[in-house]
Amino acid sequence: QVQLVESGGGLVQAGGSLRLSCAASGRTFSSYNMGWFRQAPGKEREFVGAISRSGGSTTYADSVKGRFTISRDNAKNTVYLQMNSLKPEDTAVYYCSARRSFTELVTSGGYDYWGQGTQVTVSS
């Protein structure tokens, strides 16, 4: 079991940067793949990216490759989403998620735990 709380959302101009943080509870943070998803009004939830247990592997949606970077600090039970070169189409509620993993592989599905979300708005 893990509880997640996102922070760092806000309003930013196109081309700017923003870093989201996700603080996790528990003593087993390093046993979870951590993912980021986003959902814009009227649209389906979209996978953004994920990171493996130790942080050694990451995967990203094509729409954010080269612009977004996921990292984690297991000593702080925290995962980050660094967003650069932001575009108006990045506007959405961003959710942190966790998936218990028994390997060092990273996945885009099977996430069981979710944070409350944080709003990111990119103006043109």
Side-chain angles (χ1 to χ4, degrees), residues 37-47 63 87-95:
F37 294 76
R38 65 187 183 186
Q39 187 168 23
K43 296 184 178 180
E44 296 181 353
R45 185 176 60 188
E46 176 188 19
F47 174 75
S63 59
K87 305 174 181 179
E89 50 263 46
D90 294 319
T91 295
V93 176
Y94 283 71
Y95 297 92

Side-chain angles (χ1 to χ4, degrees), residues 2 4 7 17 32 46 49 61 71-72 76 84 92 94 116 124:
V2 61
L4 308 170
S7 63
S17 298
Y32 292 84
E46 176 188 19
S71 61
R72 66 192 296 165
K76 297 181 179 180
N84 299 325
Y94 283 71
Q116 83 287 350
S124 60

